Amino acid sequence: MSELETLEQDLIDSIAAAGSETALEAVRVLALGKKGSVSGQLKKLGKMSPEERQTAGPALNNLKVRIAEAIEARRDTLAEAALEERLRSETVDVTLPARPEQAGTIHPVTQVMEEVIAIFADMGFSVAEGPHIETDWYNFGALNIPPEHPARQDHDTFYLKEKPDGSRMVLRTHTSPVQIRTMEGQEPPIRIIAPGRTFRADSDMTHTPMFHQVEALVIDETTHMGHLKGTLEAFCKAFFEVDDIKMRFRPSHFPFTEPSMEVDIGCSWENGELKIGQGDDWLEILGSGMVHPNVIAAGGYDPERYQGYAFGMGIDRIAMLKYGIPDLRAFFEADLRWLRHYGFSAVSMPTLAEGLS
Ligand code: DAH
């Protein structure tokens, strides 16, 4: 092998052996750099006779070109391999669970709303909504609460600034206005629930200025109190996930229902822990009744022909009862430690088939 052939073979071997772009660059400098081996050979041309130069010149130049090409080819291969490696190592498996330190949780209020919706949807109810800022008419008047009615004092209403005509909008104090809006917007029969935010100027262990209720309204020509009782019993069993539940319907008074009942569920305390369903104690969970004829008329229906029931339930309250959460105010403090403790997995939505919680 001639001197040049040996040099070329050595260089080709080093190029093939270069395992990184940095190593390859070092090989290039050693071969083609100013003081490199190929450059060294080229310098020798000056001392050659013209005849020698005529054959050695093109041979050396060709060698230089071949080495440069081999380096380029190797560079491409290395770059491709580096990219492959990056793609392999940086892949994101979107089916993996979130990193625990970053995983968010579903707030108990959201969880309970979804549970309530799942249960009532299964019984054929649809979900209705209404605005948080209401007129006096929808929040009170249409619900048979005239201006001088004492029930207004109980509601600790947040009023907005008076309008030029003297009227004042309110932050809805309950979800009951959705009853009227639903009746106005559709023909009977009606079977809806309306979960959402409500507002009252009140704050202690069991009251926050913003809280949540779910309203229900069923209107047709035949629905009676037996349907109300059956529906509530089915709901309570499903929601509290118990086979049997003791319930008590206490006569009460709401302006928008006649007759009106408050509903209690049986419970007991065992070693400081609340057990729902059986026992000698009672927990009030909602207000209900047969929709007052005045309310049916305010909704635009004929009260001689249509009847039905309604109820309203505190979502935060049933969340506290079901999940043993002691202080309502903590619900809205956005404390991550509280959310990690009481929150629910973001990847399992409550369904009746797979279990609510
Ligand atoms: N709106 C009532 C409240 O906030 C709850 C309520 C009671 C709703 C009886 C109803 C009902 O629909 O029939 O205190």
Side-chain angles (χ1 to χ4, degrees):
M1 223 191 264
S2 75
E3 193 190 348
L4 275 192
E5 282 170 338
T6 315
L7 175 62
E8 179 164 3
Q9 194 52 56
D10 284 352
L11 287 175
I12 296 293
D13 289 348
S14 328
I15 291 167
S20 68
E21 292 188 64
T22 328
L24 183 65
E25 178 58 13
V27 174
R28 190 192 66 78
V29 171
L30 281 176
L32 307 178
K34 262 196 191 133
K35 291 180 182 154
S37 47
V38 176
S39 314
Q41 292 295 329
L42 283 163
K43 273 182 206 144
K44 286 187 192 159
L45 287 175
K47 290 169 197 141
M48 288 180 190
S49 66
E51 294 76 37
E52 278 175 322
R53 209 180 297 146
Q54 229 166 38
T55 47
L60 261 174
N61 266 319
N62 288 341
L63 168 69
K64 189 180 164 186
V65 169
R66 282 198 298 277
I67 294 301
E69 281 173 357
I71 289 172
E72 268 326 296
R74 180 71 186 148
R75 203 189 301 282
D76 287 350
T77 312
L78 286 173
E80 213 170 289
L83 179 64
E84 281 300 318
E85 173 57 21
R86 265 190 71 188
L87 288 175
R88 200 189 53 73
S89 65
E90 292 177 13
T91 46
V92 176
D93 181 351
V94 294
T95 66
L96 284 175
R99 277 188 279 155
E101 69 276 15
Q102 291 183 356
T105 55
I106 299 294
H107 194 285
V109 168
T110 309
Q111 168 76 17
V112 164
M113 273 200 193
E114 293 298 336
E115 292 180 18
V116 169
I117 290 171
I119 296 167
F120 281 105
D122 192 59
M123 292 195 262
F125 285 70
S126 46
V127 174
E129 288 186 300
H132 295 159
I133 301 174
E134 272 295 9
T135 61
D136 192 277
W137 168 251
Y138 283 110
N139 195 77
F140 296 118
L143 291 162
N144 202 32
I145 314 174
E148 63 293 346
H149 197 287
R152 291 206 178 206
Q153 268 95 68
D154 303 338
H155 279 216
D156 303 308
T157 312
F158 286 114
Y159 287 96
L160 274 71
K161 264 227 251 356
E162 209 173 273
K163 292 203 228 179
D165 67 4
S167 68
R168 283 194 296 176
M169 303 288 281
V170 302
L171 294 185
R172 68 177 183 190
T173 58
H174 49 180
T175 42
S176 303
V178 185
Q179 291 188 26
I180 308 297
R181 290 184 174 276
T182 304
M183 284 190 270
E184 282 179 346
Q186 66 192 73
E187 292 299 314
I190 284 185
R191 194 182 288 166
I192 56 113
I193 57 165
R197 288 176 198 270
T198 46
F199 309 86
R200 287 184 203 180
D202 204 355
S203 185
D204 59 33
M205 276 271 283
T206 52
H207 297 89
T208 49
M210 187 279 300
F211 58 108
H212 301 82
Q213 287 189 338
V214 57
E215 193 80 12
L217 177 68
V218 173
I219 301 280
D220 56 28
E221 295 183 30
T222 53
T223 287
H224 53 69
M225 227 152 81
H227 297 124
L228 169 61
K229 290 183 76 173
T231 305
L232 287 175
E233 187 174 337
F235 166 76
C236 287
K237 281 186 191 167
F239 179 74
F240 291 106
E241 302 179 67
V242 291
D243 293 332
D244 209 10
I245 196 157
K246 236 168 68 173
M247 298 182 78
R248 179 169 79 174
F249 292 75
R250 255 184 308 112
S252 183
H253 176 265
F254 301 103
F256 29 89
T257 44
E258 182 59 39
S260 306
M261 298 103 73
E262 275 173 310
V263 177
D264 303 337
I265 51 173
C267 68
S268 60
W269 293 88
E270 281 169 27
N271 309 321
E273 209 184 303
L274 178 63
K275 273 236 155 14
I276 291 192
Q278 305 299 324
D280 295 331
D281 287 330
W282 295 101
L283 283 168
E284 183 194 322
I285 58 158
L286 59 90
S288 67
M290 297 306 291
V291 181
H292 196 290
N294 290 354
V295 174
I296 294 185
Y301 298 169
D302 176 4
E304 295 294 328
R305 182 167 168 201
Y306 294 107
Q307 61 182 43
Y309 65 76
F311 59 83
M313 188 162 54
I315 289 184
D316 319 85
R317 178 167 165 77
I318 61 170
M320 291 169 80
L321 292 177
K322 179 169 178 180
Y323 293 113
I325 309 174
D327 187 344
L328 177 61
R329 287 168 299 193
F331 274 60
F332 309 115
E333 279 168 0
D335 183 333
L336 278 178
R337 291 163 304 177
W338 186 89
L339 282 167
R340 272 188 208 114
H341 183 78
Y342 288 111
F344 293 82
S345 159
V347 287
S348 64
M349 289 307 270
T351 66
L352 289 185
E354 288 182 33
L356 289 178
S357 55

